[in-house]
């Protein structure tokens, strides 16, 4: 497993402390690729958590180049409304974490895929955090313990 | 609806952003600044926010999305509680400090305010919801624990705080909307690794609790 820079040690310290994650689990997250269905509000919140947690590559599946609607909340901003959804999510989340690459694209053949039941573009943000946070948490634990896609 | 959110971190971020997006007027109270070890779970902040006071930085993000919010860089304590929260309809605790949770809950009970107390550590969390007449925080937990693990000591899986914070925000919005059914409940995810669904319990008032004497 790779060794961590001093900055990574600080950034991921609350993960490395966890039973089931530790340094090995965090290294698995850093090496992982996850494709997220970002057509719904919960998927976009989940993508923000995956990037923050240090998933190495987060692929934004924007549902055939949809546009950002006026209902879109975090991590999108009012200025994003009307623009292409995938690019807006990449702009909002890319650069958040130097360890996470955020790109627009269809799901790759390998890697993990996150599609959230009950998600919708107009989901209230409170529900988007609850649904997206839950889905991202379960997936991160799955990756950290070395489970297969 | 005026909401006070105590804590601008992993739980306070989702709570404040979600209630702000729903149209609430949000006051955020937190004494800390953004640190690198926050960023794995506090998705409201990025590298540009390192060193900034959390309360005002979070408020600025809500305002930037068209919401109404202000930050107070302070610890919520018995001595300043009235000043910080006097005009709120609902107060929500998302702090990482068990003592602060009791300060918020005790103040809310004494001032007869609807309140939500949220907690998350490692792989589990809970959201306690109350209003005047319902079971209070001390009906359930009695006294602050001598030693309770915090995220800084025990770790926390990043997105868990989004899940728990999102649930806390839905409860705060229901209380603020005048829905009494949600008061006197606790929502619990024991350990997300088990795959078991979260559960919600209805709480009875505890005989002998100080809230019964009021
Ligand atoms: Zn009581």
């Amino acid at each position: 497993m790779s060794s961590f820079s001093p900055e990574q040690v600080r950034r991921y310290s609350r993960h490395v402390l966890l039973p089931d994650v530790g340094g090995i689990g965090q290294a698995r997250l850093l090496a992982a690729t996850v494709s997220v269905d970002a057509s719904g509000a919960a998927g976009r919140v989940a993508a923000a958590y995956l990037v923050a947690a240090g998933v190495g590559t987060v692929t934004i599946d924007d549902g055939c180049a949809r546009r950002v609607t006026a209902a879109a909340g975090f991590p999108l901003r009012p200025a994003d409304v009307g623009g292409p959804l995938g690019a807006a999510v990449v702009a909002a989340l890319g650069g958040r974490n130097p360890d996470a690459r955020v790109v627009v694209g269809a799901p790759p053949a390998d890697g993990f895929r996150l599609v959230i039941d009950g998600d919708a573009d107009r989901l209230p943000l409170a529900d988007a955090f609850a649904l997206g946070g839950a889905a991202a948490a379960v997936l991160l634990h799955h990756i950290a313990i070395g489970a297969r896609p | 609806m005026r909401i006070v959110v105590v804590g601008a971190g992993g739980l306070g971020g989702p709570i404040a952003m979600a209630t702000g997006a729903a149209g609430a007027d949000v006051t955020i109270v937190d004494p800390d600044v953004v640190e690198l070890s926050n960023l794995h779970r506090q998705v409201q902040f990025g590298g540009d926010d390192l060193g900034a006071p959390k309360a005002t930085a979070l408020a600025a993000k809500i305002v930037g999305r068209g919401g109404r919010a202000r930050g107070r860089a302070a610890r919520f304590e018995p001595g300043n509680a009235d000043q910080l929260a006097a005009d709120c309809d609902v107060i929500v605790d998302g702090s990482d400090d068990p003592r602060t949770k009791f300060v918020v809950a005790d103040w809310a009970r004494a001032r007869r305010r609807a309140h939500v107390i949220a907690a998350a550590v490692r792989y589990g969390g809970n959201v306690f919801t109350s209003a005047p007449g319902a079971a209070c925080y001390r009906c359930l937990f009695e006294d602050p624990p001598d030693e309770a693990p915090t995220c800084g000591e025990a770790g926390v899986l990043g997105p868990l705080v989004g899940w728990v914070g999102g649930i806390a925000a839905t409860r705060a919005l229901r209380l603020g909307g005048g829905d009494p059914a949600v008061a006197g409940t606790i929502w619990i995810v024991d350990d997300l690794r088990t795959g078991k669904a979260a559960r919600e319990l209805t709480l009875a008032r505890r005989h002998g609790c100080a809230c019964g004497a009021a």
Side-chain angles (χ1 to χ4, degrees):
Chain A
M1 288 293 169
S2 55
S3 62
F4 297 115
S5 70
E7 180 174 316
Q8 286 175 319
V9 169
R10 293 220 306 284
R11 184 182 288 269
Y12 305 119
S13 63
R14 305 303 187 256
H15 269 171
V16 173
L17 283 166
L18 281 172
D20 281 6
V21 181
I24 291 173
Q26 186 63 49
R28 287 181 176 133
L29 294 174
L30 290 164
T33 295
V34 178
S35 165
V36 183
D37 176 354
S39 60
R44 298 189 289 265
V45 166
Y49 279 105
L50 299 179
V51 168
V55 168
T57 303
V58 177
T59 303
I60 303 300
D61 177 2
D62 66 354
C64 302
R66 282 171 177 241
R67 300 260 152 195
V68 178
T69 71
F74 176 85
L76 301 177
R77 301 177 54 91
D80 296 321
V81 173
L85 176 63
V89 174
V90 168
L93 298 179
R96 279 299 185 101
N97 182 346
D99 297 326
R101 202 166 63 91
V102 190
V103 293
V104 182
D110 56 350
F112 296 86
R113 175 118 175 84
L114 188 60
V115 182
I116 299 173
D117 281 347
D119 198 3
D121 186 52
R122 305 183 61 86
L123 206 61
L125 189 55
D127 297 327
F129 267 105
L131 265 183
V138 169
L139 177 62
L140 285 187
H141 176 253
H142 191 74
I143 296 170
I145 62 175
R148 310 298 306 165
Chain B
M1 181 194 319
R2 285 179 297 254
I3 293 186
V4 168
V5 179
V6 177
L11 294 168
I15 293 165
M17 286 195 290
T19 55
D25 179 282
V26 185
T27 297
I28 302 156
V29 183
D30 192 305
D32 295 331
V33 298
V34 181
E35 297 178 44
L36 190 52
S37 63
N38 301 146
L39 297 186
H40 91 291
R41 67 188 185 285
Q42 298 182 14
V43 293
Q44 67 271 32
F45 299 127
D48 294 349
D49 298 306
L50 289 170
K54 285 186 183 180
T56 50
L58 177 56
K61 303 201 187 273
I62 294 166
V63 170
R65 293 187 155 78
R68 284 174 296 159
R70 69 207 56 76
R72 303 274 185 257
R75 189 175 302 282
F76 191 90
E77 292 175 327
N80 63 10
D82 280 329
Q83 182 208 334
L84 290 166
D87 63 350
C88 76
D89 302 304
V90 181
I91 184 165
V92 188
D93 177 274
S95 73
D96 189 26
D97 173 18
R99 276 188 51 256
T100 299
K101 295 185 187 306
F102 276 84
V103 172
V104 171
D106 288 347
W107 179 87
R109 182 171 64 78
R111 294 289 183 263
R112 302 187 59 77
R113 303 303 164 88
H115 54 288
V116 179
I117 312 290
V121 69
R122 297 196 187 101
Y123 294 102
N126 58 71
V127 176
F128 170 86
T129 305
S130 186
C136 82
Y137 200 58
R138 286 181 186 267
C139 284
L140 183 61
F141 293 112
E142 301 198 22
D143 290 306
D146 293 330
E147 284 184 32
T150 65
C151 296
E153 294 152 5
V156 60
L157 190 68
L160 171 66
V161 296
W163 185 4
V164 175
I167 295 291
T170 65
R171 301 300 184 263
L173 291 168
R174 282 173 64 182
L175 286 173
D179 175 1
V182 73
T185 64
I186 186 165
W187 175 97
I188 305 167
V189 55
D190 290 301
D191 185 334
L192 66 89
R193 294 174 294 177
T194 64
K196 286 186 190 158
R199 58 207 168 96
E200 186 154 29
L201 310 176
T202 300
L203 303 168
R205 290 175 77 169
R206 177 171 56 86
H207 184 72
C209 181
C211 69

